[in-house]
Amino acid sequence: MKAWHVQDKYGEYQQIIFADKRSEAIANSEAKGWNDFIDIRAKRAKYADDLNTKPVELMQAQLENGWWFECYGSCGNHVTIDDKHSIVDGSIYCGECSGKIS
């Protein structure tokens, strides 16, 4: 399935949505609840195509394409591709918190 990078016009809220059409991606995004349709942008994210059922691979692909995530551990650190990290069941942990996962 096609992946779309959907965000509000200020880039404050971003997510990957899987849909066949751009309009479907916008309509299915959480940004739709906070913004008018006209204020939401959707660009193709070909690097994430067909990863809708593979959360670990999706997060890794996003990291490789400039995204960052907040550590799912207790520290709240930002995790980028340059940081030591681990992805477990669709949750990302920084290097420090990775050692605390049981």
Side-chain angles (χ1 to χ4, degrees):
M1 181 165 290
K2 291 180 183 177
W4 300 85
H5 178 169
V6 181
Q7 66 181 30
D8 66 352
K9 69 179 180 179
Y10 302 108
E12 294 177 3
Y13 182 81
Q14 302 181 47
Q15 71 184 131
I16 296 291
I17 297 289
F18 295 94
D20 290 323
K21 297 179 183 176
R22 178 184 171 278
S23 59
E24 291 172 10
I26 292 172
N28 292 330
S29 75
E30 290 182 23
K32 180 88 166 55
W34 300 313
N35 298 277
D36 293 329
F37 189 89
I38 194 85
D39 293 329
I40 302 171
R41 310 293 185 251
K43 296 171 81 175
R44 285 282 285 120
K46 292 181 181 183
Y47 61 86
D49 282 354
D50 299 319
L51 295 180
N52 50 318
T53 60
K54 301 173 184 174
V56 172
E57 290 91 342
L58 175 59
M59 288 186 101
Q60 188 63 39
Q62 287 176 278
L63 287 170
E64 292 169 0
N65 285 275
W67 290 67
W68 62 266
F69 293 92
E70 187 172 312
C71 177
Y72 194 73
S74 59
C75 69
N77 289 332
H78 289 179
V79 179
T80 69
I81 192 65
D82 297 326
D83 299 313
K84 182 178 177 186
H85 65 277
S86 59
I87 303 171
V88 180
D89 297 328
S91 298
I92 193 163
Y93 298 87
C94 68
E96 182 180 319
C97 291
S98 291
K100 299 176 186 176
I101 303 170
S102 53

